[in-house]
Amino acid sequence: MPGTEFFGAEERKEVNDVLNTTALFRYNHDALRQGMWKAKELEEEVSKFTGAGYAHAVSSGSAAVACALAASGIGHGDEVIVPPFTFLATIEAVLYAGALPVFAEIDETLCLSAEGIEAAISPKTKAVLLVHMCGAAADMDSISLLCENKGIKLIEDAGQALGAFYGNKSVGLFGTAGAFSFDFFKITTAGEGGLFITNDEETYKKADTFSDHGHSHVGDNRGMEPHPYLGFNFRISELHAAVGLAQMRRIDKILGLNKKNKKYLKDRLREIDGITFRYMPDEDGDSATFLNFFLPSIELTKKAVARLAEEGVGGINYWYTNMYHFINQWDHLKNLSASAPLAIHHLGAPQDYKNLELPKSQDVVGRLISLGIRATWTAEEIEKLGDDLTRVIKEVLASHPVEK
Ligand SMILES: *Cc1c(COP(=O)(O)O)cnc(C)c1O
């Protein structure tokens, strides 16, 4: 989580600007704010960095996904194709939009594959909510083409992929709308926050309006603004935006260090026979927040994860058993347990979530180890990590004849 590794005078300055003016609200109050518009500046930075025509800051990455769905016209009863490997927010956003998640297979890109999406398409499919997992892009050529050919909207949950590009184009710009998270664990953080991006002006206006009770944000009298649509409150505060702004100004530095550190560790792991790496269709566009590699079997992977924990090797994620990132642990989803009825309770689930067969996704996530890359490792720390990783994994692989 590199964003939090760099927290200093710049973040404090931006926050103090807001505290000094007391203009904690992102709209209006022009006289009070003395020229301070942190949310707007954050949006400008994200537009500049991603090349997006429009960026809109909101209260969380989850809110940004909700805005992306709403602004793309996805709602009650619409089937939305989603991956079984993602942070749960993706699925919740679909359910709370009144739409129906349809799970499809991922592959070694760690993202939905065109093949997986195609197999999950039904006459009711309205959109694919593609998640760029672990800091790098999905296979955008084949997925964009498929969505175009099938007339299905492409929406991108790039919650954990700010800084990832595919063919020099930022993730989030391949479909109608994209979402980034600025929560505490992401490459840049606002404490809590998120960004919605799009190249389409109408879509942007819908998201802007949706995120603030339907306000059109035209004119300087908030109480008298037109309200073209209903919405909700997904506003970001100026305090959070201030932190996000300072962090955004550091993103190139963070990316540079991530890439350097990831390359070192990946080169170390290349020494090991029996390991393969996450397939990245555009490796240069990787944000390098995670080093993802596969062992030959789920059994060996579990063993390696246990041994790495015993050896005190930090930063290891085994998503296969994680409660929030893989479908196997989503009992509440399988049971449709919600605090109140959702559209899916009335319409029925489009798949039998309790008996889904996703063998490819099971195999990929079961054999996957994700190491979180830090930007601030010292030379000694990263060398020791490389030593520990290679030693433990070699030992585990040697303990079993490799079968697969
Ligand atoms: C972090 C994340 C989110 C949610 O972001 P929050 O800011 O925590 O609401 C959504 N989707 C993905 C893929 C994420 O990684």
Side-chain angles (χ1 to χ4, degrees):
M1 45 182 210
T4 54
E5 293 176 75
F6 298 95
F7 205 90
E10 295 83 352
E11 280 77 3
R12 281 191 287 277
K13 189 237 167 232
E14 297 299 329
V15 171
N16 278 329
D17 280 352
V18 178
L19 291 174
N20 291 338
T21 63
T22 72
L24 276 60
F25 193 67
R26 68 158 297 177
Y27 298 110
N28 312 105
H29 305 283
D30 297 31
L32 187 65
R33 61 195 330 129
Q34 301 165 33
M36 304 288 176
W37 297 91
K38 301 304 180 188
K40 278 190 187 163
E41 278 187 72
L42 170 60
E43 290 161 358
E44 281 161 20
E45 287 291 331
V46 171
S47 282
K48 197 169 75 188
F49 177 76
T50 57
Y54 306 90
H56 182 60
V58 289
S59 52
S60 69
S62 304
V65 179
C67 289
L69 289 170
S72 303
I74 302 303
H76 195 92
D78 293 337
E79 286 189 6
V80 179
I81 294 176
V82 293
F85 175 45
T86 178
F87 180 57
L88 192 64
T90 313
I91 316 304
E92 292 170 324
V94 172
L95 289 170
Y96 284 98
L100 310 172
V102 173
F103 291 92
E105 291 270 45
I106 64 161
D107 66 8
E108 283 82 358
T109 60
L110 306 188
C111 305
L112 287 170
S113 62
E115 199 185 353
I117 293 168
E118 187 154 21
I121 292 175
S122 87
K124 286 191 191 154
T125 307
K126 288 283 159 54
V128 174
L129 182 49
L130 179 67
V131 184
H132 301 285
M133 280 305 276
C134 301
D139 189 349
M140 294 319 303
D141 282 347
S142 59
I143 293 171
S144 299
L145 186 69
L146 176 70
C147 290
E148 211 178 296
N149 287 343
K150 299 283 179 184
I152 295 169
K153 284 181 178 159
L154 175 62
I155 301 163
E156 296 165 81
D157 179 349
Q160 49 182 269
L162 178 64
F165 292 79
Y166 181 94
N168 292 323
K169 182 163 156 180
S170 171
V171 294
L173 294 177
F174 287 83
T176 54
F180 298 117
S181 167
F182 275 59
D183 78 19
F184 191 67
F185 306 97
K186 302 307 203 293
I187 187 165
T188 46
T189 183
E192 298 284 1
L195 260 295
F196 163 96
I197 62 168
T198 184
N199 277 327
D200 181 64
E201 187 180 3
E202 267 317 294
T203 307
Y204 161 70
K205 280 188 183 160
K206 283 181 184 162
D208 175 53
T209 291
F210 180 74
S211 71
D212 185 20
H213 305 296
H215 276 271
S216 65
H217 302 133
V218 172
D220 57 7
N221 184 348
R222 188 166 163 84
M224 294 308 290
E225 280 175 20
H227 35 57
Y229 307 105
L230 293 167
F232 204 58
N233 176 10
F234 291 123
R235 290 187 310 263
I236 192 167
S237 82
E238 284 285 276
L239 285 172
H240 290 92
V243 177
L245 174 60
Q247 290 264 300
M248 204 52 216
R249 290 183 178 138
R250 300 181 190 280
I251 192 166
D252 287 319
K253 175 179 163 186
I254 296 172
L255 281 171
L257 290 165
N258 275 356
K259 288 181 189 205
K260 178 173 141 269
N261 288 342
K262 177 167 174 176
K263 183 178 182 317
Y264 171 83
L265 290 171
K266 192 167 179 179
D267 285 343
R268 293 293 309 270
L269 286 186
R270 279 186 221 278
E271 296 166 18
I272 308 174
D273 240 12
I275 279 196
T276 53
F277 294 99
R278 176 235 189 112
Y279 172 59
M280 282 180 285
D282 180 357
E283 194 154 0
D284 292 339
D286 180 17
S287 73
T289 44
F290 289 94
L291 171 57
N292 299 285
F293 55 96
F294 303 106
L295 269 61
S297 71
I298 297 182
E299 194 199 342
L300 281 173
T301 311
K302 284 185 171 163
K303 201 167 160 188
V305 170
R307 285 286 301 124
L308 289 165
E310 278 167 22
E311 295 283 322
V313 179
I316 297 287
N317 298 287
Y318 188 48
W319 305 120
Y320 191 61
T321 55
N322 181 294
M323 294 293 280
Y324 292 87
H325 289 78
F326 193 53
I327 195 166
N328 288 9
Q329 283 71 245
W330 297 345
D331 297 332
H332 51 354
L333 169 79
K334 292 178 187 176
N335 296 321
L336 295 182
S337 305
S339 54
L342 302 170
I344 198 166
H345 293 109
H346 294 287
L347 300 171
Q351 290 169 310
D352 178 2
Y353 296 146
K354 282 184 182 154
N355 295 297
L356 278 179
E357 296 213 1
L358 298 161
K360 178 76 182 174
S361 306
Q362 294 290 339
D363 176 63
V364 164
V365 181
R367 294 187 298 108
L368 173 69
I369 295 180
S370 282
L371 172 68
I373 299 295
R374 290 182 69 84
T376 52
W377 276 320
T378 63
E380 296 75 43
E381 282 169 338
I382 195 169
E383 199 181 317
K384 178 169 188 315
L385 180 56
D387 291 346
D388 289 347
L389 269 178
T390 46
R391 177 174 49 81
V392 173
I393 291 168
K394 275 180 184 169
E395 167 204 300
V396 170
L397 289 175
S399 70
H400 274 241
V402 173
E403 33 167 306
K404 223 229 119 200

